[in-house]
Amino acid sequence: MMGRRNQVQEPQAKRGSKTEGKNHYDQSQDAGAIRRLILGCMIGIPVGLALGVPIASALSRIFPDEIIAIRDVRDKELTPRQYYHLYEILEARRALQLTTLPERFMEDLDVAQHIHWDGPSYPKYDFDPHKESYAISTAELVQILFGNNAGYFISTISNTTDLLAAGIFDPNERMLTVESNGDPNSQWARFVMVHEGVHAGDYRLMFPETVLPLDKLFEVTATVNQVMKRTTELPNLFFNSETMYHIPSFRKNIGRTVVEQFRQDPNLEGINTTGYGVFLGILEIMMREQQVSSYNEITYNKSVCYRIGKYLFEQMQSGMVELDGDLLWQYQQYFEGASIEVVADAISKAIMFPDSINWDEKMTHLAVQFFSALRDKPLSREDFLHKMEHFHSHRAAERHIFETEIQSATLLEEVTEDPSDRGDSVVEEGGSETVQPTLESPTPAEGENVGDVAAVQDAVRTEKEITRQYWDLIHFGTPIPMPDVVTKKRQEEFAEYIECFRTVYKAYPMVFVATVADDLAFDPPYLHMWETDNVAFAANPQYIWNLVENPALLRDENVRLSDFTRILKNFINHPEFQKASKAQTQKARFKLSQRDLRDNPVLAKIFRLTGPAAA
């Protein structure tokens, strides 16, 4: 049973918190002094350790919580520009209640001193034959973003088959994958490429073999942290938006973390007295809405956790709510995690869709500064923005025409029992005779060959067949072909799991997107958020796609079919499941048909033409 489990005691009077009444040092004089000192030095006087001591001392007075980290950095004998970037990092992070210097930055300092990039480096392709136009376009665009340094950040450019992602950057493999639907030169395609390119250059996604040289490490870290700060300052955008990418997830996680700690410790250590009062005030509202009489009876579902997190973060920005201890550490992890996507979104929108951020001059400056720091030869702001706005790969456009013609012809093929009969008369069921047109493959374009055509055709047919098997399995429970290596027992376990998935999917169609971090649509009102997340994890459509694409994976005993089936059965057997499913289904179908499929390119990709679209 997935109902409420741990009961909490009603809270006692709130004791003082370590964050309560913090005596903040008046830093205005030190801040002005350090700016003058550093900027004065930047005309060409080297700092070295001697001048670095008073600068570090001033920084320590401005940022007393960072004394040890500042001393560690000081010992690197920094240049004036590096000290100024250090100030920018500390200033931005204090405004965001991030009390430590970035972990990745500190870890990379020693290695970065010995990193030198010698000569150009370029990524390689790894694309499906019928998607190669996107590889060509992406390779040319990252050349603008990174210049001849592109290969230091991206080792491979590939196309994604992920159902829920427009693009992915894998920091372990340094692989950039982009979606491959539509025009590879479109503004949307370029936006996705730039977004993933930001990930490739983000210092937080660097690993030992791709550490930035010291100068670039300071500059990129300062720029990223200034972008993070700016995303909290723009009204109705980024961290102040209701729907901006990764913000719902960020707010849900803050709310969930505070709730889980409250259920264990009703006095909620780690939040100041004012913040504690704010939190209890929110719970009073939830009690009235849910018509319950105690905090114990509240169902902390996604929407409740979201609202708690949203309001607490707003009050943190205003200075009313301050966190400490484990709550502060958890908040910092969530903020850093969300900001990886938010920073990529902010920089790519400043470059590709500046109107969507109200032409914010500071954000545009930071976006250009970010890529300028990563290039081998900086471009002027005007040249960079002009190249991005007018980017068009002629090679990609020609290849895309070639691919599209072959795909169209292949998808329209009429499959008969005897392939040699294609183009001859065929007797249909019922005895009527019709003539089937003969479909001829397009003539290979210049630079292409017959082998290219065959490879594209094979890839299209394979993708089409996997897609058909997938939706037949989801809609009708049609078994997929199983290789001999999969035992009968495992096949039966898979069939049982799919049947449970289909039962949940029929009642709650939006479970299909429940693993998307920002999802708020799949939110059974009778489950706590952590219980809902377990159901979503067990009903992951990408997991099923992977098994349809490669059924041999089922022979691996680590494939958790029994665990997932148990979770889904518990959900189905919940006494509220049947009662709530009808209303939830109607609501979800309306959203799918009226809004999501029209406006959301990710959902459009998921549901395609054969998916459970507008009913």
Side-chain angles (χ1 to χ4, degrees), residues 73-250:
V73 175
R74 181 198 68 190
D75 293 340
K76 310 302 178 191
E77 300 190 21
L78 307 182
T79 66
R81 185 174 294 279
Q82 289 165 354
Y83 266 115
Y84 187 71
H85 288 322
L86 178 61
Y87 172 80
E88 290 182 308
I89 296 166
L90 290 164
E91 185 270 336
R93 293 180 73 80
R94 183 179 61 188
L96 299 170
Q97 289 200 35
L98 303 175
T99 61
T100 59
L101 280 170
E103 181 180 353
R104 184 80 252 168
F105 170 78
M106 295 299 292
E107 290 176 357
D108 286 351
L109 276 176
D110 287 331
V111 180
Q113 292 180 299
H114 308 290
I115 296 294
H116 302 284
W117 290 342
D118 300 317
S121 179
Y122 307 106
K124 63 179 183 292
Y125 297 175
D126 182 21
F127 260 63
D128 294 333
H130 62 312
K131 307 289 187 180
E132 192 174 316
S133 56
Y134 299 89
I136 295 170
S137 178
T138 305
E140 292 183 16
L141 188 136
V142 299
Q143 184 74 16
I144 298 174
L145 298 180
F146 299 107
N148 291 332
N149 287 341
Y152 292 115
F153 302 103
I154 302 166
S155 65
T156 307
I157 296 170
S158 183
N159 65 289
T160 179
T161 57
D162 193 297
L163 291 177
L164 303 176
I168 302 171
F169 178 72
D170 180 350
N172 293 296
E173 301 293 333
R174 310 305 300 174
M175 178 181 288
L176 188 155
T177 61
V178 293
E179 77 167 348
S180 43
N181 294 306
D183 181 0
N185 281 315
S186 70
Q187 194 173 22
W188 166 253
R190 283 179 282 153
F191 171 79
V192 172
M193 295 172 196
V194 175
H195 181 101
E196 301 308 324
V198 176
H199 288 328
D202 191 326
Y203 73 95
R204 295 169 293 182
L205 297 177
M206 298 289 175
F207 291 89
E209 63 273 17
T210 52
V211 172
L212 293 164
L214 194 61
D215 273 347
K216 293 185 180 293
L217 177 63
F218 271 90
E219 187 172 359
V220 171
T221 304
T223 302
V224 167
N225 280 269
Q226 290 292 322
V227 172
M228 287 162 57
K229 180 186 175 188
R230 189 61 179 160
T231 59
T232 67
E233 297 170 342
L234 298 175
N236 303 315
L237 292 171
F238 306 114
F239 278 101
N240 299 314
S241 165
E242 294 295 321
T243 58
M244 190 72 72
Y245 185 43
H246 249 62
I247 300 308
S249 172
F250 169 66

Side-chain angles (χ1 to χ4, degrees), residues 168-396:
I168 302 171
F169 178 72
D170 180 350
N172 293 296
E173 301 293 333
R174 310 305 300 174
M175 178 181 288
L176 188 155
T177 61
V178 293
E179 77 167 348
S180 43
N181 294 306
D183 181 0
N185 281 315
S186 70
Q187 194 173 22
W188 166 253
R190 283 179 282 153
F191 171 79
V192 172
M193 295 172 196
V194 175
H195 181 101
E196 301 308 324
V198 176
H199 288 328
D202 191 326
Y203 73 95
R204 295 169 293 182
L205 297 177
M206 298 289 175
F207 291 89
E209 63 273 17
T210 52
V211 172
L212 293 164
L214 194 61
D215 273 347
K216 293 185 180 293
L217 177 63
F218 271 90
E219 187 172 359
V220 171
T221 304
T223 302
V224 167
N225 280 269
Q226 290 292 322
V227 172
M228 287 162 57
K229 180 186 175 188
R230 189 61 179 160
T231 59
T232 67
E233 297 170 342
L234 298 175
N236 303 315
L237 292 171
F238 306 114
F239 278 101
N240 299 314
S241 165
E242 294 295 321
T243 58
M244 190 72 72
Y245 185 43
H246 249 62
I247 300 308
S249 172
F250 169 66
R251 292 173 176 173
K252 284 188 300 181
N253 286 330
I254 291 178
R256 172 178 173 169
T257 298
V258 176
V259 163
E260 288 181 325
Q261 183 155 329
F262 175 71
R263 284 162 61 85
Q264 296 175 5
D265 172 22
N267 290 322
L268 199 58
E269 294 300 321
I271 191 169
N272 64 336
T273 302
T274 303
Y276 186 68
V278 168
F279 174 70
L280 292 184
I282 300 171
L283 295 193
E284 293 290 337
I285 296 172
M286 300 301 139
M287 286 168 54
R288 289 195 296 272
E289 289 183 357
Q290 296 187 15
Q291 299 181 346
V292 296
S293 58
S294 72
Y295 303 136
N296 293 332
E297 298 176 89
I298 296 173
T299 301
Y300 296 100
N301 62 0
K302 284 183 182 179
S303 62
V304 169
C305 291
Y306 172 87
R307 291 164 66 189
I308 291 172
K310 175 180 183 292
Y311 195 62
L312 286 177
F313 181 64
E314 288 174 352
Q315 299 310 307
M316 287 177 68
Q317 290 178 289
S318 72
M320 286 185 62
V321 174
E322 294 181 346
L323 303 179
D324 197 9
D326 187 59
L327 278 182
L328 178 59
W329 184 86
Q330 292 274 20
Y331 157 75
Q332 291 178 160
Q333 300 305 305
Y334 291 137
F335 189 92
E336 288 276 15
S339 71
I340 287 175
E341 293 297 339
V342 173
V343 164
D345 218 37
I347 291 176
S348 49
K349 282 185 174 176
I351 293 171
M352 297 306 308
F353 299 108
D355 55 320
S356 70
I357 61 169
N358 301 318
W359 305 93
D360 186 71
E361 180 62 25
K362 185 171 183 179
M363 189 66 79
T364 302
H365 170 76
L366 290 168
V368 175
Q369 180 176 296
F370 174 81
F371 282 112
S372 181
L374 298 172
R375 289 177 52 87
D376 57 325
K377 296 179 181 178
L379 278 175
S380 70
R381 171 189 168 122
E382 293 73 20
D383 285 348
F384 180 78
L385 293 176
H386 179 80
K387 285 177 178 288
M388 293 304 301
E389 181 181 359
H390 299 284
F391 173 82
H392 181 85
S393 169
H394 295 289
R395 286 181 59 228

Side-chain angles (χ1 to χ4, degrees), residues 422-473:
R422 189 176 299 154
D424 298 333
S425 61
V426 176
V427 178
E428 295 183 337
E429 187 176 356
S432 61
E433 184 173 275
T434 60
V435 176
Q436 302 292 322
T438 299
L439 297 174
E440 296 182 358
S441 297
T443 303
E446 184 179 353
E448 314 292 351
N449 55 51
V450 175
D452 289 327
V453 174
V456 171
Q457 287 177 324
D458 288 344
V460 171
R461 292 187 186 109
T462 299
E463 185 179 82
K464 178 183 177 183
E465 178 59 18
I466 292 172
T467 302
R468 183 194 63 77
Q469 291 178 9
Y470 181 76
W471 288 115
D472 282 353
L473 179 67

